[in-house]
Amino acid sequence: MLTVASLWIPFTVVAALGQVARNAMQRSLTKPLGTWGATNIRFLFGFPFSLLFLAVVLIVSGDHIGMPPSVFWPWLLLGALSQIVATGLMLLAMNDRSFVVTTAYLKTEAIQTAIFGFVFLGDHLTWLKVLAIVIATVGVVITALRPGGEKSFAELKPTITGLVAAAAFALSAVGFRGAIITVPDVSFVTASSFTLLLGLFVQTLILTIYLLWRAPKVLQSILGLWKPSLLAGFMGAFASQFWFLAFALTAAANVRTLALIEVLFAQAVAYYSFKQPIAPREIFGIVLIVVGVAVLVGA
C-alpha cells in the first residue's frame, strides 16, 4: 500500500519522465540559441510556472509562508549554484571530445550524493541501499560506454572534470534537500514548491546577467523563440517540482539512484522510435540498473 513516506518513488519516476521530455525540447533549441541560451530556458521560462505551482499549492493547502530561517539560504545557494557549475563542467568536458567517458563519470552522482547527504545532512542509508546504489551506478556506466571508450579512462582531464561535475550535481541535490527540510510549519508540498520558486529565481538571475554581459543577442533570440521555449520551460519546472517533492520525503541519494531509470527510458526511445538495436553489453547494464533499483525500492 502506498504511503506518504513512499510517495518519493512515483514522484521520482514522473520527474525522470519529465526530464527526458525537457531535454528533448532543449536539444532542439541548442542550435539557434547556443548551449547557455538553451540552458537558461529551463530557468527563465520555468520560473513563471513555479509561481503558478506555488500559488495553487497555497490555495489548496491553506499554508502561510513567512521568511524562511537563516539556515535556508546557504542550502538554497548551494543547490542553485552547484547546478549551474555542474552544467558548465559537463559542457566543458564534452567539448574536449570525451562525451562517452564524461557521461560514464557523471553517473557516479548517485554514489557521491549518498556520501554528501550523509556528511552534510546526516541522511542514513542501510548497507542494502548502499549496495543498490553501487549496482545501479555500475549498470549505467556499462550502458553508457561504447566500444573503445574505455581507452579514454586513462586521460586525466576528462576523469577529473567528469568526477567534479558529478560531485557538483550531487551537491546540488543535497543543497536543495537541505533547503526544503528547513522550511518550517508548512506541508512538504509547500516547502518543495517554495524552494523551487526561489531556486529558479536565483538561477534565472545569474544566467540572465551572464548572458546580458557576454551574449546579449542570445537573450533577444530567446524572446523571439518564446513559444517553444515556453513549453520547454513548463516541462523543466514540472520535472523540478517532482524532484523537489521527492527530496522532501527521502534522502537525495535514494532519489538520484532511482532517477537512473532515465537511462531505461532513453534506451526504449532509441529502440522503438529510431529502431536502434541494443547490444549485449547494454542489456547487461540494463539488467544491473533494474536489479539495483529493485533492491533500493524494496529495501
Side-chain angles (χ1 to χ4, degrees), residues 191-211:
S192 302
S193 303
F194 180 64
T195 304
L196 172 61
L197 171 69
L198 293 180
L200 284 176
F201 173 77
V202 170
Q203 292 169 321
T204 298
L205 183 65
I206 290 173
L207 275 181
T208 300
I209 290 175
Y210 172 79
L211 289 175

Side-chain angles (χ1 to χ4, degrees), residues 36-37 40 43-44 81 84 200-219 222:
W36 285 113
N40 194 32
F43 305 132
L44 182 64
L81 297 179
I84 293 176
L200 284 176
F201 173 77
V202 170
Q203 292 169 321
T204 298
L205 183 65
I206 290 173
L207 275 181
T208 300
I209 290 175
Y210 172 79
L211 289 175
L212 279 172
W213 173 44
R214 297 298 300 269
K217 291 184 178 180
V218 172
L219 282 179
I222 289 175

Side-chain angles (χ1 to χ4, degrees), residues 25-35 37-38 41 217-218 220-222 225 228-229:
M25 295 173 188
Q26 278 188 291
R27 191 175 296 115
S28 66
L29 294 168
T30 300
K31 186 175 181 180
L33 298 178
T35 301
I41 284 172
K217 291 184 178 180
V218 172
Q220 296 177 5
S221 299
I222 289 175
L225 294 171
S229 298

Side-chain angles (χ1 to χ4, degrees), residues 30-76:
T30 300
K31 186 175 181 180
L33 298 178
T35 301
W36 285 113
T39 299
N40 194 32
I41 284 172
R42 65 177 293 191
F43 305 132
L44 182 64
F45 287 89
F47 176 68
F49 290 108
S50 70
L51 274 171
L52 178 61
F53 295 162
L54 180 60
V56 172
V57 167
L58 291 177
I59 292 172
V60 173
S61 67
D63 284 339
H64 298 280
I65 295 183
M67 180 63 67
S70 57
V71 70
F72 170 87
W73 299 105
W75 287 121
L76 180 76

